[in-house]
Coordinates of all heavy atoms in Angstrom, one line a residue:
G30 N 24.3 -29.2 5.0 CA 25.1 -30.0 5.9 C 24.2 -30.9 6.8 O 24.7 -31.6 7.7
F31 N 22.9 -30.9 6.6 CA 22.0 -31.7 7.4 C 21.4 -32.8 6.6 O 21.2 -32.6 5.4 CB 20.8 -30.8 7.9 CG 21.1 -30.0 9.2 CD1 22.0 -29.0 9.2 CD2 20.5 -30.4 10.4 CE1 22.2 -28.3 10.3 CE2 20.7 -29.6 11.5 CZ 21.6 -28.6 11.5
L32 N 21.2 -33.9 7.2 CA 20.4 -35.0 6.6 C 18.9 -34.6 6.8 O 18.5 -34.0 7.8 CB 20.6 -36.3 7.3 CG 22.0 -37.0 7.0 CD1 22.4 -37.9 8.1 CD2 21.9 -37.7 5.7
H33 N 18.0 -35.1 6.0 CA 16.6 -34.8 6.1 C 15.8 -36.0 5.6 O 16.2 -36.8 4.7 CB 16.3 -33.6 5.2 CG 14.8 -33.4 5.1 ND1 14.1 -33.6 3.9 CD2 14.0 -32.9 6.0 CE1 12.8 -33.3 4.2 NE2 12.7 -32.8 5.4
G34 N 14.7 -36.2 6.3 CA 13.7 -37.3 5.9 C 12.4 -37.0 6.6 O 12.3 -36.2 7.5
F35 N 11.4 -37.7 6.1 CA 10.1 -37.6 6.7 C 9.2 -38.8 6.6 O 9.4 -39.6 5.7 CB 9.3 -36.3 6.2 CG 8.8 -36.5 4.7 CD1 7.6 -37.0 4.4 CD2 9.6 -36.0 3.7 CE1 7.1 -37.2 3.1 CE2 9.2 -36.1 2.4 CZ 7.9 -36.7 2.1
L36 N 8.3 -39.0 7.5 CA 7.3 -40.1 7.6 C 5.9 -39.5 7.3 O 5.5 -38.6 8.1 CB 7.4 -40.8 8.9 CG 6.3 -41.8 9.2 CD1 6.5 -43.0 8.2 CD2 6.4 -42.3 10.6
A37 N 5.2 -40.0 6.3 CA 3.8 -39.5 6.1 C 2.9 -40.1 7.1 O 2.9 -41.3 7.3 CB 3.4 -39.9 4.7
L38 N 2.1 -39.3 7.8 CA 1.3 -39.7 8.9 C -0.2 -39.7 8.5 O -1.0 -40.2 9.3 CB 1.5 -38.8 10.1 CG 2.9 -38.8 10.7 CD1 3.0 -37.8 11.8 CD2 3.3 -40.2 11.2
T39 N -0.6 -39.2 7.3 CA -1.9 -39.2 6.9 C -2.1 -39.9 5.5 O -1.1 -40.2 4.9 CB -2.5 -37.7 6.8 OG1 -1.5 -37.0 5.9 CG2 -2.6 -37.1 8.1
D40 N -3.3 -40.2 5.2 CA -3.6 -41.0 3.9 C -3.0 -40.3 2.7 O -2.6 -40.9 1.8 CB -5.0 -41.2 3.8 CG -5.6 -42.2 4.8 OD1 -4.7 -43.0 5.4 OD2 -6.8 -42.3 5.0
E41 N -3.1 -38.9 2.7 CA -2.5 -38.2 1.6 C -1.6 -37.1 2.1 O -2.0 -36.3 3.0 CB -3.6 -37.5 0.8 CG -4.5 -38.4 0.0 CD -5.6 -37.7 -0.8 OE1 -5.9 -36.5 -0.5 OE2 -6.1 -38.3 -1.7
V42 N -0.4 -37.1 1.6 CA 0.6 -36.0 1.9 C 1.1 -35.4 0.6 O 1.5 -36.1 -0.3 CB 1.7 -36.6 2.8 CG1 2.8 -35.5 2.9 CG2 1.3 -37.0 4.1
V43 N 1.0 -34.0 0.6 CA 1.7 -33.3 -0.5 C 2.7 -32.5 0.2 O 2.4 -31.6 1.1 CB 0.7 -32.4 -1.2 CG1 1.4 -31.5 -2.3 CG2 -0.5 -33.2 -1.8
F44 N 4.0 -32.8 -0.1 CA 5.1 -32.2 0.6 C 5.9 -31.4 -0.4 O 6.2 -31.9 -1.5 CB 6.0 -33.4 1.1 CG 7.1 -33.0 2.0 CD1 6.9 -32.8 3.4 CD2 8.4 -32.8 1.5 CE1 8.0 -32.5 4.2 CE2 9.5 -32.5 2.3 CZ 9.2 -32.3 3.7
C45 N 6.2 -30.2 0.0 CA 6.9 -29.2 -0.9 C 8.3 -28.8 -0.3 O 8.4 -28.7 0.9 CB 6.1 -28.0 -1.1 SG 4.5 -28.3 -1.8
Y46 N 9.3 -28.6 -1.1 CA 10.5 -28.1 -0.6 C 11.3 -27.4 -1.7 O 11.3 -27.7 -2.9 CB 11.4 -29.2 0.0 CG 11.6 -30.5 -0.8 CD1 12.8 -30.8 -1.3 CD2 10.6 -31.4 -0.9 CE1 13.0 -32.0 -2.0 CE2 10.8 -32.6 -1.5 CZ 12.0 -32.9 -2.1 OH 12.2 -34.1 -2.7
K47 N 11.9 -26.3 -1.2 CA 12.8 -25.5 -2.0 C 14.2 -25.9 -1.7 O 14.5 -26.2 -0.5 CB 12.6 -24.0 -1.6 CG 11.2 -23.5 -1.8 CD 11.1 -22.0 -1.4 CE 11.1 -21.1 -2.6 NZ 10.5 -21.4 -3.8
Q48 N 15.1 -25.9 -2.7 CA 16.5 -26.3 -2.5 C 17.4 -25.2 -2.9 O 17.1 -24.5 -3.9 CB 16.8 -27.5 -3.3 CG 16.0 -28.7 -2.9 CD 16.3 -29.9 -3.8 OE1 15.8 -31.0 -3.6 NE2 17.1 -29.8 -4.9
S49 N 18.5 -25.0 -2.2 CA 19.5 -24.0 -2.6 C 20.5 -24.5 -3.6 O 21.4 -23.8 -4.0 CB 20.2 -23.5 -1.4 OG 21.0 -24.5 -0.8
A50 N 20.4 -25.8 -4.1 CA 21.2 -26.3 -5.1 C 20.4 -27.3 -5.9 O 19.5 -27.9 -5.4 CB 22.4 -27.1 -4.5
E51 N 20.7 -27.4 -7.2 CA 20.0 -28.4 -8.0 C 20.4 -29.8 -7.6 O 21.5 -30.0 -7.2 CB 20.3 -28.1 -9.5 CG 19.7 -26.8 -10.0 CD 20.0 -26.6 -11.5 OE1 20.3 -27.6 -12.2 OE2 19.9 -25.5 -11.9
Y52 N 19.4 -30.7 -7.7 CA 19.7 -32.1 -7.4 C 20.8 -32.6 -8.2 O 20.8 -32.5 -9.4 CB 18.4 -32.9 -7.6 CG 18.7 -34.4 -7.3 CD1 18.9 -34.9 -6.1 CD2 18.6 -35.3 -8.4 CE1 19.1 -36.2 -5.8 CE2 18.9 -36.7 -8.2 CZ 19.1 -37.1 -6.9 OH 19.3 -38.4 -6.7
A53 N 21.8 -33.3 -7.6 CA 22.9 -33.9 -8.2 C 23.1 -35.3 -7.6 O 23.7 -35.3 -6.4 CB 24.2 -33.0 -8.1
P54 N 22.7 -36.4 -8.2 CA 22.8 -37.7 -7.6 C 24.2 -38.0 -7.1 O 24.4 -38.7 -6.1 CB 22.3 -38.6 -8.6 CG 22.0 -37.9 -9.8 CD 22.2 -36.4 -9.5
E55 N 25.2 -37.6 -7.8 CA 26.6 -37.9 -7.4 C 27.0 -37.3 -6.1 O 28.0 -37.7 -5.4 CB 27.6 -37.5 -8.5 CG 27.8 -36.0 -8.7 CD 26.7 -35.4 -9.7 OE1 25.7 -36.1 -10.0 OE2 26.9 -34.2 -10.0
R56 N 26.3 -36.3 -5.6 CA 26.6 -35.6 -4.3 C 25.7 -36.1 -3.2 O 25.9 -35.7 -2.0 CB 26.5 -34.1 -4.5 CG 27.7 -33.5 -5.1 CD 27.8 -32.0 -5.0 NE 26.6 -31.4 -5.5 CZ 26.4 -31.0 -6.8 NH1 27.4 -31.1 -7.6 NH2 25.3 -30.4 -7.1
E57 N 24.6 -36.8 -3.5 CA 23.7 -37.2 -2.5 C 24.3 -38.2 -1.6 O 25.0 -39.2 -2.0 CB 22.4 -37.8 -3.1 CG 21.4 -38.1 -2.1 CD 20.1 -38.6 -2.7 OE1 20.1 -39.4 -3.7 OE2 19.0 -38.1 -2.3
I58 N 24.0 -38.1 -0.3 CA 24.5 -39.0 0.8 C 23.2 -39.5 1.4 O 22.3 -38.7 1.8 CB 25.4 -38.3 1.8 CG1 26.6 -37.7 1.1 CG2 25.7 -39.3 2.9 CD1 27.4 -36.8 2.0
G59 N 23.1 -40.8 1.5 CA 22.0 -41.4 2.2 C 22.4 -42.2 3.5 O 23.4 -42.8 3.5
V60 N 21.6 -42.0 4.5 CA 21.8 -42.7 5.8 C 20.5 -43.4 6.2 O 19.4 -42.9 5.9 CB 22.2 -41.6 6.9 CG1 22.2 -42.3 8.3 CG2 23.6 -41.1 6.6
R61 N 20.7 -44.6 6.8 CA 19.6 -45.4 7.1 C 18.6 -44.6 8.1 O 19.1 -44.1 9.1 CB 20.0 -46.7 7.8 CG 20.8 -47.6 6.9 CD 21.1 -48.9 7.5 NE 19.8 -49.6 7.9 CZ 19.1 -50.3 7.1 NH1 19.4 -50.5 5.9 NH2 18.0 -50.9 7.6
W62 N 17.4 -44.7 7.8 CA 16.3 -44.1 8.6 C 16.3 -44.8 10.0 O 16.0 -44.1 11.0 CB 15.0 -44.2 8.0 CG 14.5 -45.6 7.9 CD1 14.7 -46.5 6.8 CD2 13.7 -46.3 8.8 NE1 14.1 -47.7 7.1 CE2 13.5 -47.6 8.3 CE3 13.1 -46.0 10.1 CZ2 12.7 -48.6 9.0 CZ3 12.4 -47.0 10.7 CH2 12.2 -48.3 10.2
D63 N 16.7 -46.0 10.1 CA 16.7 -46.8 11.3 C 18.0 -47.1 11.9 O 18.2 -48.0 12.7 CB 15.9 -48.1 11.1 CG 16.6 -49.0 10.1 OD1 17.5 -48.5 9.3 OD2 16.2 -50.2 9.9
D64 N 19.0 -46.2 11.6 CA 20.4 -46.4 12.2 C 20.3 -46.4 13.7 O 19.9 -45.4 14.3 CB 21.2 -45.2 11.7 CG 22.7 -45.3 12.1 OD1 23.0 -46.0 13.0 OD2 23.5 -44.7 11.4

């Protein structure tokens, strides 16, 4: 129920995440980062 995003602050970022549901593009909701 949360939106999530991140900004890379260093020249190289390796970002990992575990998800409790498989990615399903039809369920994804996107909100502007600069709303």
Side-chain angles (χ1 to χ4, degrees):
F31 277 69
L32 289 157
H33 173 252
F35 69 88
L36 172 66
L38 298 175
T39 52
D40 291 339
E41 292 182 341
V42 170
V43 179
F44 188 86
C45 301
Y46 49 108
K47 301 178 101 33
Q48 297 178 173
S49 66
E51 292 182 18
Y52 175 69
E55 68 277 7
R56 281 193 302 272
E57 185 176 43
I58 299 168
V60 169
R61 294 189 57 83
W62 66 272
D63 60 350
D64 184 336

